[in-house]
Amino acid sequence: MTPVNTSGKVLEGWNPENPETWDKAIAWRTLTISTFSLTLAFCVWFLVSAIAPKLNDIGFDLSAGQLYWLAAVPGLSGGIIRLIYMFLPPVLGTRKLIGITSLLMVIPMLGWGFAVTDPRTPFWVLITLALMTGIGGGCFSGYMPSTGYFFPKRMAGTALGLQAGIGNFGVSLIQLLGPWLMGFGLLGLGFIAPQHDRAADAPLWLHNVAFFFVPWAILAAVLAFTLLKDVPVQAKFREQLDIFGNPNTWILTIVYIMTFGAFSGFAAQFALLINNTFGKASGFAATHDPATLPKGAAFAFLGPLIGSLIRALWGPLCDRFGGAIWTFICGIGMTVATVVAALYLHPDSPDDFWPFLIAMLVLFFFSGLGNAGTFKQMPMILEPRQAGGVIGWTAAIASFGPFFVGIMLSAMDAQLFFFLCAGFFAIATALTWIYYARPGAPYPG
């Protein structure tokens, strides 16, 4: 019988580092429910990236720049919201944090579901709804530190790797299910007329992509309020600011921008990048049958799927060998893959798409590996309260990835941007080696 008092909503006497004051069942139940909610959150965050490539096909008249911005602004709002969420776990507690957030996700999903039914919906409304989807990305900086309270350090890599990896799978899930959900009327939504896909000259139920996830978000809220408990970790706002005096906060921020910033940024823009470089919006559309050109929506889910899967699977390996070495390997792989992908961004033929795709999938592979590595490092390098704050802070800054990648792709040549990214990745990799991964490093993790 565990001495932890589990009868109320707050776990009195909880200490996961002591087997006698830790309840394994409660920890894994918390991980399961919060991960379910986080997966839906990432679906919400990347909802626009699944919808935007089809907007002009159903009657909207948006420029390539406007479409990039639509897919980019969820990253802006997600990053800002993460700066708030990083302080919430000790304030709200896990139960209310997960429950309230799950209900908030319903708002942008309903908004987008109705907005796409009328192609006269103003661009400012679409931008506003895109900003609202940032709640799905913002909550990550609350969910991850909160989950960290429930597991001992020896299991941090596995627990956080599973939660982040499966949660990140929401990016791939929305892009994988999106094209399928658009193809038929969902049960109970027959009163909403389908849109007309001018490219395919066929009906298209684009609103399904948003409405489908609403009941699941409500279920997540119910599960959170009824089954989750809180850990009595409390910290005043001023106390939590001490993370900014730790140099590791800033180094790990740079590293996590490389890993998750790139993962989220390129995932959000992947479909549009394919369409604009190789597909229907490229120069090849005038000289080739559009039906033979690659469609971004058909490939967009692959990168996030690979990155998410690797992040989830690599947690146990990070627990065994440490996170730093994997983060370092990630940096090398991402740098090389980005350079290779850049070489095909001024294609001479649609056939150049295939080596570009392979390079991008390799990039996503290594980003997943690095995301697992960094989240193992943070709890090992920092004490629990600071580790939670640094996880929230680094996640907040890195989540600006979709916004930054989107505005850069709309403002400069894509090849130049990729080369600049490779240079940044090289710097982050060098910092990882110097401070964390080399023999005798000052902060091994």
Side-chain angles (χ1 to χ4, degrees):
M1 184 72 176
T2 176
V4 177
N5 183 358
T6 62
S7 59
K9 294 298 183 183
V10 178
L11 299 170
E12 301 293 344
W14 181 267
N15 179 10
E17 301 301 333
N18 183 349
E20 296 184 356
T21 57
W22 180 57
D23 190 315
K24 179 180 179 181
I26 290 176
W28 283 100
R29 184 171 71 218
T30 302
L31 178 67
T32 301
I33 295 173
S34 60
T35 300
F36 172 55
S37 178
L38 185 62
T39 303
L40 295 172
F42 272 88
C43 288
V44 173
W45 196 25
F46 281 77
L47 176 66
V48 184
S49 70
I51 289 176
K54 299 298 293 183
L55 288 176
N56 284 345
D57 290 341
I58 62 170
F60 286 84
D61 185 19
L62 302 172
S63 68
Q66 287 177 314
L67 291 172
Y68 273 134
W69 270 92
L70 279 178
V73 294
L76 174 64
S77 58
I80 293 172
I81 294 171
R82 282 191 181 191
L83 293 174
I84 300 170
Y85 261 82
M86 64 181 283
F87 297 106
L88 293 185
V91 177
L92 288 180
T94 301
R95 186 175 66 88
K96 291 191 289 292
L97 184 75
I98 307 300
I100 293 172
T101 302
S102 298
L103 291 177
L104 288 175
M105 295 177 203
V106 174
I107 300 173
M109 285 190 282
L110 288 177
W112 270 104
F114 287 110
V116 300
T117 62
D118 184 0
R120 296 170 297 178
T121 302
F123 181 66
W124 70 265
V125 173
L126 299 180
I127 281 288
T128 302
L129 291 172
L131 287 168
M132 292 174 67
T133 64
I135 184 66
C139 66
F140 183 88
S141 283
Y143 281 38
M144 297 297 286
S146 175
T147 298
Y149 298 154
F150 287 85
F151 288 88
K153 284 187 176 183
R154 63 182 174 81
M155 299 179 65
T158 298
L160 295 180
L162 282 172
Q163 181 166 55
I166 297 174
N168 288 169
F169 176 66
V171 180
S172 184
L173 184 64
I174 186 71
Q175 293 172 337
L176 176 63
L177 288 181
W180 176 68
L181 290 170
M182 298 174 195
F184 59 93
L186 284 178
L187 182 66
L189 293 176
F191 68 95
I192 301 178
Q195 299 79 57
H196 181 73
D197 186 344
R198 296 182 301 187
D201 192 22
L204 191 73
W205 289 263
L206 192 58
H207 54 270
N208 285 355
V209 184
F211 288 142
F212 174 78
F213 293 96
V214 170
W216 299 105
I218 295 173
L219 174 61
V222 172
L223 292 174
F225 283 125
T226 57
L227 298 177
L228 294 186
K229 297 181 181 294
D230 298 326
V231 174
V233 176
Q234 296 182 346
K236 296 179 180 178
F237 178 81
R238 185 180 298 274
E239 292 175 339
Q240 297 184 66
L241 295 179
D242 65 355
I243 63 172
F244 299 114
N246 190 324
N248 288 293
T249 298
W250 303 105
I251 300 169
L252 290 168
T253 299
I254 293 172
V255 173
Y256 200 57
I257 290 173
M258 173 182 68
T259 59
F260 185 76
F263 169 85
S264 61
F266 286 123
Q269 304 295 339
F270 201 22
L272 290 173
L273 184 61
I274 292 172
N275 285 346
N276 291 338
T277 308
F278 301 95
K280 61 184 180 182
S282 70
F284 297 122
T287 56
H288 292 75
D289 181 358
T292 65
L293 297 177
K295 296 176 178 60
F299 296 95
F301 76 95
L302 288 173
L305 175 63
I306 291 171
S308 303
L309 182 63
I310 294 302
R311 184 171 193 171
L313 293 178
W314 234 262
L317 289 174
C318 291
D319 281 336
R320 181 174 181 180
F321 298 106
I325 186 62
W326 295 117
T327 305
F328 175 67
I329 293 171
C330 145
I332 296 174
M334 289 186 67
T335 303
V336 174
T338 304
V339 170
V340 173
L343 298 177
Y344 294 95
L345 283 172
H346 287 163
D348 296 318
S349 162
D351 293 337
D352 288 341
F353 167 70
W354 299 107
F356 168 79
L357 177 65
I358 293 171
M360 290 299 296
L361 296 184
V362 170
L363 172 66
F364 279 108
F365 172 91
F366 281 107
S367 74
L369 193 154
N371 285 327
T374 53
F375 266 52
K376 172 61 178 178
Q377 289 177 257
M378 295 177 200
M380 300 302 295
I381 295 170
L382 304 152
E383 56 92 9
R385 183 182 59 77
Q386 277 206 336
V390 172
I391 287 173
W393 165 257
T394 56
I397 299 304
S399 71
F400 286 108
F403 177 70
F404 181 75
V405 173
I407 62 173
M408 288 297 101
L409 287 174
S410 65
M412 68 170 60
D413 177 71
Q415 186 178 70
L416 173 60
F417 175 64
F418 268 61
F419 281 132
L420 291 174
C421 286
F424 175 78
F425 297 162
I427 293 172
T429 304
L431 289 173
T432 301
W433 174 256
I434 293 169
Y435 288 97
Y436 306 117
R438 67 180 171 88
Y443 305 105

